[in-house]
Amino acid sequence: QVQLVEFGGGSVQAGGSLRLSCTASGYTRSRYCIGWFRQAPEKEREGVATLSINGGNVLNAYYSGSAAGRFTISRDNAGNTLYLSMKSLKPEDTAMYFCAAAPYCGSASWYQTDLYNYWGQGTQVTVSS
């Protein structure tokens, strides 16, 4: 059974940094996508960043426009932990952040929530001005 568990959220002031982690277990596919989504109150869930992986190698990293240049998605060498390093945080980054895995994704689809069939429970990030 696939399990995704996020941690590392918290409260920071604008301009600060946070690193989120997601531990993944039970995923047996060699080709898949794993990434981060977020959902602010009364807003739709949106893609933040995703890695496309095949045979243990990272093929691509995709970023939303708001994340590019400020956030970095990465994983550990064993491939068991996914990270999202966030800097220059803004109040509009305040949201619940979710880790999710999908059997496939592409440059034009990575942000589509319905591709992802496994989700973590989320970790809250709050950025104050």
Side-chain angles (χ1 to χ4, degrees):
Q1 183 176 357
V2 177
Q3 285 191 322
L4 303 173
V5 180
E6 308 95 333
F7 53 96
S11 298
V12 296
Q13 289 191 326
S17 301
L18 273 178
R19 189 175 78 159
L20 306 182
S21 301
C22 170
T23 58
S25 61
Y27 210 78
T28 59
R29 294 179 61 91
S30 61
R31 182 165 189 162
Y32 61 98
C33 293
I34 188 166
W36 294 93
F37 287 73
R38 68 185 183 186
Q39 188 166 18
E42 301 182 355
K43 291 191 176 181
E44 292 189 356
R45 193 167 296 188
E46 63 175 1
V48 177
T50 285
L51 294 179
S52 172
I53 295 169
N54 189 13
N57 300 311
V58 176
L59 299 181
N60 286 293
Y62 304 112
Y63 293 91
S64 68
S66 61
R70 297 189 300 129
F71 296 0
T72 301
I73 187 170
S74 63
R75 63 171 194 166
D76 67 348
N77 290 335
N80 296 326
T81 304
L82 183 74
Y83 302 103
L84 184 69
S85 298
M86 305 183 292
K87 65 179 182 180
S88 302
L89 284 162
K90 306 174 182 179
E92 50 264 43
D93 294 317
T94 295
M96 185 72 78
Y97 283 70
F98 298 90
C99 178
Y104 65 90
C105 69
S107 59
S109 65
W110 69 269
Y111 50 85
Q112 296 175 3
T113 57
D114 56 3
L115 288 184
Y116 294 76
N117 50 358
Y118 295 105
W119 293 84
Q121 81 290 347
T123 186
Q124 178 68 37
V125 172
T126 302
V127 184
S128 58
S129 58

